[in-house]
Amino acid sequence: MKIAVVTGASSGMGRDFVYAIDKEFKLDEIWVIARREERLLELQDGCKAKIRPLAMDLLDESNYDVYKALLEKEKPEVKVLVNGAGFGLFGTFVEMDLKTQLDSIKLNSCALTAMCHITIPFMPKGSKIINLASNSSWQPVPYINVYGSSKAYVLNFSRALGVEIKKLGIHVMAVAPGWIQTEFFEHAVHDDTIKYYDRIYTSKEVIDKAMKDLAKNKKVSILGFPVRMQVLGVKFLPTDLIMKIWCKQQGK
């Protein structure tokens, strides 16, 4: 049985990746993971492959064992793993709830790591891993500090993992988009700490580019000239200057 596994599949990038993966790959099933089962069931109407909803909260580490046990029982070939689950908070670190910030790290970084470790033994040669990073992966980002730091981990982890498992014939790609109009903002924005958004892309635009880059075995997918220029600037400009420019944009 050939399958794909997508986390964060109930909304946003994860949800749209399900449709893109279904379109691009010939699969028997797509295992979709998120907390809201009713949202996962809705995916079947737009997919050719059978949708298997796994209503699990990846903040609960016991669900890693549930997922691993299912893989061991079914013994599928996981052709694609998409780690799309995650969330962030905009605000001042010391003023925001600690548990929520730690949960962001656990979901963005730790759960992604666990999903890779558990799934790779079931991935044959030619399989793909897509990890959702961010444009904030490239530099320290005040007022999006914890989120950006967790996504820097995703970017570096994905690059290093790609080297380690290249011998297995498994390709790893990080997707590092700029601002995307998804439900992410509903969770992240709770005040006016972040005021400036240079350009907002749609989830479909980011994923269309990601699927093209995946076909070319690129290691990082970046959509948009402005985002590419920011990444280039970060490579050559001092970190303090980058943070100063960002803070000025946000009126800090």
Side-chain angles (χ1 to χ4, degrees):
M1 178 171 62
K2 293 179 173 60
I3 74 166
V5 178
V6 182
T7 73
S10 63
S11 65
M13 293 281 288
R15 188 177 185 86
D16 289 339
F17 259 120
V18 172
Y19 296 127
I21 294 297
D22 180 73
K23 181 180 178 181
E24 294 295 327
F25 292 85
K26 187 175 181 180
L27 302 164
D28 298 303
E29 292 186 2
I30 303 177
W31 294 9
V32 290
I33 298 175
R35 292 174 301 169
R36 296 175 288 183
E37 184 175 22
E38 70 281 1
R39 294 293 299 274
L40 298 177
L41 291 169
E42 293 171 0
L43 290 163
Q44 186 63 74
D45 290 340
C47 294
K48 302 186 297 294
K50 178 183 176 182
I51 295 297
R52 184 182 297 208
L54 304 179
M56 298 190 299
D57 184 354
L58 293 179
L59 287 175
D60 181 351
E61 293 184 16
S62 67
N63 282 318
Y64 301 162
D65 294 329
V66 174
Y67 172 64
K68 183 178 181 180
L70 184 59
L71 286 172
E72 291 174 342
K73 177 184 176 182
E74 299 285 346
K75 294 181 173 56
E77 292 185 10
V78 183
K79 302 295 290 182
V80 188
L81 169 64
V82 179
N83 282 301
F87 74 92
L89 294 173
F90 297 170
T92 303
F93 171 73
V94 296
E95 295 176 355
M96 292 189 293
D97 178 65
L98 175 60
K99 182 181 183 303
T100 306
Q101 294 186 81
L102 293 177
D103 281 348
S104 178
I105 297 170
K106 286 174 65 178
L107 190 58
N108 297 348
S109 303
C110 298
L112 176 146
T113 304
M115 288 298 296
C116 287
H117 194 273
I118 295 167
T119 308
I120 286 171
F122 297 89
M123 303 187 80
K125 184 177 181 179
S127 298
K128 314 282 187 180
I129 297 175
I130 301 172
N131 290 330
L132 188 57
S134 167
N135 192 33
S136 62
S137 302
W138 306 96
Q139 73 280 322
V141 190
Y143 308 104
I144 313 181
N145 185 3
V146 170
Y147 175 77
S149 298
S150 72
K151 291 299 185 177
Y153 171 87
V154 173
L155 178 62
N156 289 318
F157 171 77
S158 299
R159 285 172 149 173
L161 179 64
V163 172
E164 292 186 24
I165 65 175
K166 183 178 180 180
K167 61 187 176 184
L168 301 177
I170 301 172
H171 180 70
V172 183
M173 183 181 78
V175 180
W179 302 113
I180 317 168
Q181 188 58 58
T182 66
E183 292 180 23
F184 171 87
F185 284 100
E186 295 177 13
H187 199 299
V189 178
H190 58 275
D191 58 26
D192 63 350
T193 300
I194 302 301
K195 303 180 178 69
Y196 174 76
Y197 304 93
D198 51 354
R199 176 171 176 175
I200 299 179
Y201 295 93
T202 67
S203 176
K204 185 178 184 304
E205 287 175 317
V206 174
I207 291 173
D208 284 349
K209 179 65 163 61
M211 297 308 294
K212 291 176 182 176
D213 288 343
L214 187 67
K216 298 174 183 176
N217 282 332
K218 290 195 174 183
K219 297 173 183 176
V220 182
S221 178
I222 304 171
L223 172 68
F225 181 77
V227 181
R228 290 182 178 278
M229 289 301 99
Q230 288 179 44
V231 173
L232 185 64
V234 167
K235 290 181 178 179
F236 293 103
L237 296 176
T239 300
D240 284 350
L241 177 58
I242 292 294
M243 290 194 289
K244 184 177 181 180
I245 293 171
W246 162 257
C247 289
K248 185 176 181 179
Q249 289 174 332
Q250 305 305 333
K252 307 298 179 187

